Amino acid sequence: MLRSAAAISAPLVWPLWERKAGASLTLTRCLHQTLIMAKQLQARRLNGIDHNPWVEFIRLAKEYDVVNLGQGFPDFSPPDFAVQAFQQATSGDFMLNQYTMAFGYPPLTKILASFFGKLLGQELDPLKNVLVTVGAYGALFTAFQALVDEGDEVIIIEPAFDCYEPMTLMAGGRPVFVSLKPSPAAKGQLESSNDWQLDPTELASKFTPRTKALVLNTPNNPLGKVFSKKELELVADLCQQHDVLCISDEVYQWLVYDGHQHVSIASLPGMWERTLTIGSAGKSFSATGWKVGWVMGPDRILKHLRTVHQNSIFHCPTQAQLPQTMKPNRDHMIRSLQSVGLKPLIPQGSYFLIADISDFKSKMPDLPGAEDEPYDRRFAKWMIKTKGLVAIPVSIFFSQPHQKDFDHYIRFCFVKDEATLQAMDERIQKWKKELQP
């Protein structure tokens, strides 16, 4: 009888129990998810560096009908010899589609060692003094990870390419900033990137017993400044005096104008043994998407970068490991920007020039944007939306405390083809007509 009752009631009770069990299981899962999500998901080294202003300006450039003069990439083909070499690499020896030496394809490292050895005055060993990386970006990241420890200070000269600060922080280091200071040009003349100089006393004051490295970028992005030998000697003397490494980002070394000469700081007396020299085939051959970079230095330093490289990307694409003059483009852009009241600074090198927007700041101080947003960012957004031209605000190349002092400059890239420059001219001529009474 009991067995019979149980048999009858079981089908009735089971759905109720199943619903309760299901609810309980769902509750357990929710609680489990809550517990998981309550933990900090990202590593602490990402705290404070997750916002990237580039994302916003790239998104705006896609939303509006614009001429993109902001991002630093050529919009024309690489030289024929570079394209042909790449095509041959992908269609020739099938082994070029397989792993190569972890630290660089041997034919490339040999050429780099031979060529740059002459420039740096060193006998370079392709296996010990050259490391091929995924672009100069990869070289920089590898260097920071290999050399910067918790609490180390890294001196960064501003304006600075915006990855130096987060890469320092991700390695556990502390960025220490020193700004190039502009001096006014002679009356009636355009300012030059050479008018921005380091204050020797201020630079010297940034070195402490905790200073591990100094980051140098010449020619400088975004300014286009080519550091003179005298300025490099100042940096070199301080690095040697305080036993500090120099990470020298020289990706634009072949893009130098008006008779200026690029000097690698590693070539100065006493600097080879404490310098990493970083270069880029992508910048030199107008093929930024190929992502081929390198770093050169003494084996005692480079061996630590090889450790990071070996345990991260392992090696670079085999096939990809293999100046057109831009001065006319630069001069063309300078003339065009001047016609609407922008004040370009003449760059000595790189892909870029910056323009002073102080007059606009005084005439149109109340552009839309957050109250604490630097003026150059508001101006750049206004220019995208109303003039169809993209530029990058220079304040993003400065540390937070210094942004307010440099919020009246925007950066343009002049390494563009003729069609892009003509499209720029059309937008600027329309802007010029709007300014006429």
Side-chain angles (χ1 to χ4, degrees):
M1 180 79 177
L2 290 172
R3 187 177 299 167
S4 227
I8 295 169
S9 63
L12 301 174
V13 174
W14 179 257
L16 295 173
W17 182 88
E18 190 177 44
R19 282 200 294 273
K20 289 181 180 178
S24 177
L25 184 61
T26 301
L27 179 61
T28 302
R29 284 176 178 164
C30 288
L31 287 171
H32 182 58
Q33 286 179 343
T34 302
L35 289 172
I36 290 175
M37 299 307 292
K39 294 180 180 178
Q40 177 168 303
L41 189 60
Q42 80 278 13
R44 287 193 303 275
R45 59 182 169 272
L46 300 185
N47 291 348
I49 63 170
D50 52 342
H51 174 70
N52 190 321
W54 289 91
V55 174
E56 182 178 13
F57 285 95
I58 291 169
R59 177 182 57 76
L60 283 173
K62 292 183 181 300
E63 286 181 7
Y64 291 83
D65 177 22
V66 298
V67 179
N68 191 342
L69 306 172
Q71 290 174 268
F73 62 88
D75 59 355
F76 47 80
S77 296
D80 289 343
F81 73 85
V83 174
Q84 289 165 7
F86 192 87
Q87 289 171 341
Q88 185 177 351
T90 56
S91 60
D93 184 355
F94 72 91
M95 284 304 295
L96 291 176
N97 296 298
Q98 309 307 326
Y99 288 135
T100 184
M101 294 283 287
F103 307 127
Y105 184 49
L108 175 60
T109 57
K110 288 176 183 176
I111 290 171
L112 291 172
S114 173
F115 182 79
F116 284 100
K118 295 180 178 70
L119 293 180
L120 299 174
Q122 299 290 329
E123 190 74 32
L124 300 189
D125 184 326
L127 297 177
K128 295 182 177 180
N129 302 127
V130 180
L131 172 63
V132 177
T133 57
V134 181
Y137 224 84
L140 287 163
F141 184 78
T142 303
F144 282 103
Q145 288 296 311
L147 303 173
V148 177
D149 217 341
E150 196 78 29
D152 286 345
E153 293 179 352
V154 177
I155 296 173
I156 299 173
I157 299 171
E158 299 181 296
F161 186 45
D162 64 321
C163 76
Y164 303 151
E165 180 181 4
M167 285 186 182
T168 299
L169 293 169
M170 287 177 72
R174 188 173 82 84
V176 175
F177 298 95
V178 57
S179 296
L180 292 161
K181 300 293 196 316
S183 56
K187 190 174 181 180
Q189 292 186 359
L190 287 176
E191 289 183 48
S192 162
S193 57
N194 191 47
D195 295 328
W196 292 54
Q197 297 283 326
L198 282 168
D199 180 326
T201 304
E202 183 183 10
L203 177 62
S205 73
K206 302 297 181 179
F207 286 80
T208 75
R210 295 182 299 278
T211 307
K212 182 67 173 289
L214 176 143
V215 184
L216 176 70
N217 178 208
T218 180
N220 173 272
N221 172 16
L223 192 55
K225 175 183 173 62
V226 177
F227 282 75
S228 68
K229 188 175 181 182
K230 183 179 178 181
E231 290 172 307
L232 295 178
E233 287 171 341
L234 167 66
V235 173
D237 288 346
L238 288 167
C239 285
Q240 292 177 63
Q241 180 183 334
H242 295 276
D243 192 24
V244 166
L245 298 167
C246 181
I247 300 172
S248 188
D249 181 351
E250 302 181 14
V251 298
Y252 298 107
Q253 74 176 101
W254 306 112
L255 295 157
V256 178
Y257 317 111
D258 301 328
H260 292 283
Q261 183 180 6
H262 169 79
V263 177
S264 290
I265 195 168
S267 68
L268 300 185
M271 285 305 290
W272 165 254
E273 286 300 323
R274 62 177 66 251
T275 301
L276 291 174
T277 304
I278 292 171
S280 166
K283 295 295 193 298
S284 301
F285 297 113
S286 305
T288 55
W290 292 3
K291 296 298 289 181
V292 181
W294 51 78
V295 54
M296 289 166 287
D299 183 51
R300 72 180 189 89
I301 302 177
L302 216 56
K303 66 181 182 181
H304 302 300
L305 276 71
R306 290 196 293 267
T307 300
V308 174
H309 184 89
Q310 176 79 40
N311 292 288
S312 55
I313 63 161
F314 180 56
H315 81 89
C316 305
T318 308
Q319 308 102 317
Q321 297 184 47
L322 7 120
Q324 164 179 348
T325 177
M326 285 293 114
K327 184 176 181 297
N329 290 29
R330 181 200 70 171
D331 296 343
H332 179 149
M333 182 173 283
I334 286 172
R335 289 191 297 270
S336 195
L337 296 178
Q338 282 183 283
S339 70
V340 288
L342 293 164
K343 296 179 179 177
L345 278 68
I346 302 173
Q348 301 163 311
S350 84
Y351 278 6
F352 309 105
L353 62 82
I354 69 172
D356 190 329
I357 56 171
S358 298
D359 288 350
F360 289 89
K361 188 177 180 182
S362 60
K363 293 173 185 174
M364 307 187 306
D366 300 320
L367 290 177
E371 187 177 343
D372 59 347
E373 187 175 24
Y375 182 80
D376 58 343
R377 300 190 195 190
R378 288 184 280 144
F379 183 88
K381 293 175 190 176
W382 171 82
M383 196 169 67
I384 289 171
K385 296 174 182 179
T386 65
K387 308 304 175 190
L389 293 168
V390 179
I392 299 297
V394 170
S395 65
I396 72 171
F397 298 97
F398 285 87
S399 56
Q400 191 70 37
H402 295 153
Q403 288 180 1
K404 64 181 183 302
D405 300 321
F406 296 94
D407 70 343
H408 54 286
Y409 297 98
I410 54 176
R411 190 198 76 171
F412 293 89
C413 176
F414 55 82
V415 184
K416 302 294 180 183
D417 72 6
E418 188 61 31
T420 302
L421 294 177
Q422 287 177 1
M424 171 195 72
D425 289 340
E426 291 170 5
R427 303 293 173 101
I428 285 183
Q429 286 304 310
K430 183 180 177 183
W431 187 355
K432 187 177 178 180
K433 288 178 182 177
E434 293 169 357
L435 293 173
Q436 293 172 355

